[in-house]
Amino acid sequence: AQSVTQPDIHITVSEGASLELRCNYSYGATPYLFWYVQSPGQGLQLLLKYFSGDTLVQGIKGFEAEFKRSQSSFNLRKPSVHWSDAAEYFCAVGAQGDYKLSFGAGTTVTVRA
Amino acid sequence: NAGVMQNPRHLVRRRGQEARLRCSPMKGHSHVYWYRQLPEEGLKFMVYLQKENIIDESGMPKERFSAEFPKEGPSILRIQQVVRGDSAAYFCASSPIAGVADTQYFGPGTRLTVL
């Protein structure tokens, strides 16, 4: 069975500082990996996804993530955060041709001025 | 183009009452998925529906929970005789294509609190 772990429940970062959110997954085959963001009162928005190919993927809003098979990780990064990046971030794993996603518990990001 | 709509956004019920959660998919989307997020856990798949059909309900509790997606109107997730353990956030997603996870668009969720 597939599962996702996000070790950090809450991260506080200063505006302009870099951000890294951790995600570890457990899956037997090659996973499809996703990062979603949920701003207050909004639905989950897809930031980026990895299916195959280049292990460094670029997403929207200046985010990127790196797939490391040896570490079963798919960490999300942003070089310089903006106050509008304060939100909850979810990592998810799926399988090719499957509609079911398995999500981590989420990481809440607070941005201080 | 409006996104996926869910209502109500917050719902409070007493134990034993019924909860009805509604999901209106994006225009042109005929596939709907319901997920549940229990406190301090990730979203878990519950059920996948197409218009008038339940395709996969493998994640749905066997009792008290039901879902429908009629020909006209929103998809409904119904929880009968709610218990405190049903308190959670319920998310709906829709997609125009079946079987591809990255085409799912999520709504803002309904937060159910059972007193």
Side-chain angles (χ1 to χ4, degrees):
Chain A
Q2 55 208 36
S3 66
V4 178
T5 302
Q6 293 181 246
D8 305 303
I9 297 173
H10 191 190
I11 286 180
T12 298
V13 61
S14 297
E15 192 169 14
S18 64
L19 174 68
E20 181 166 14
L21 304 181
R22 296 183 290 165
C23 172
N24 294 98
Y25 68 90
S26 172
Y27 187 66
T30 300
Y32 284 9
L33 294 159
F34 307 84
W35 274 100
Y36 288 86
V37 61
Q38 185 179 28
S39 298
Q42 304 296 315
L44 277 71
Q45 181 182 20
L46 181 65
L47 281 175
L48 48 77
K49 62 191 178 189
Y50 171 78
F51 286 176
S52 64
D54 192 348
T55 56
L56 184 64
V57 293
Q58 302 297 320
I60 62 171
K61 304 187 180 190
F63 284 92
E64 66 177 24
E66 186 171 13
F67 171 59
K68 292 186 177 180
R69 184 188 301 277
S70 61
Q71 299 178 18
S72 296
S73 70
F74 188 57
N75 294 349
L76 182 71
R77 297 193 292 255
K78 184 167 185 178
S80 176
V81 298
H82 186 262
W83 63 267
S84 61
D85 293 323
E88 189 161 20
Y89 293 80
F90 293 94
C91 180
V93 64
Q96 183 178 8
D98 192 3
Y99 42 80
K100 295 180 190 175
L101 293 170
S102 294
F103 285 80
T107 298
T108 300
V109 173
T110 298
V111 180
R112 59 178 175 229
Chain B
N1 187 10
V4 178
M5 312 267 293
Q6 290 189 249
N7 67 81
R9 297 291 307 280
H10 299 273
L11 182 61
V12 179
R13 285 286 177 267
R14 296 190 182 280
R15 281 179 297 170
Q17 292 184 319
E18 179 179 284
R20 279 182 181 245
L21 288 62
R22 296 176 196 77
C23 169
S24 297
M26 287 181 70
K27 187 177 181 180
H29 289 194
S30 58
H31 305 265
V32 166
Y33 316 81
W34 285 93
Y35 290 80
R36 177 170 67 172
Q37 184 184 24
L38 293 170
E40 300 185 7
E41 294 187 17
L43 283 73
K44 299 277 196 303
F45 169 82
M46 298 180 73
V47 62
Y48 162 36
L49 310 102
Q50 293 180 22
K51 284 285 187 181
E52 300 185 276
N53 289 301
I54 296 175
I55 306 302
D56 180 357
E57 56 183 350
S58 59
M60 196 102 97
K62 293 289 184 280
E63 297 178 352
R64 302 186 297 107
F65 284 72
S66 63
E68 63 177 10
F69 189 16
K71 187 176 180 181
E72 301 291 337
S75 175
I76 307 286
L77 180 67
R78 182 182 177 205
I79 311 172
Q80 294 178 289
Q81 300 176 322
V82 296
V83 300
R84 289 222 172 104
D86 296 332
S87 295
Y90 292 83
F91 290 90
C92 166
S94 73
S95 71
I97 304 170
V100 182
D102 70 326
T103 63
Q104 292 182 28
Y105 294 82
F106 283 83
T110 294
R111 266 77 179 172
L112 172 65
T113 301
V114 179
L115 302 178

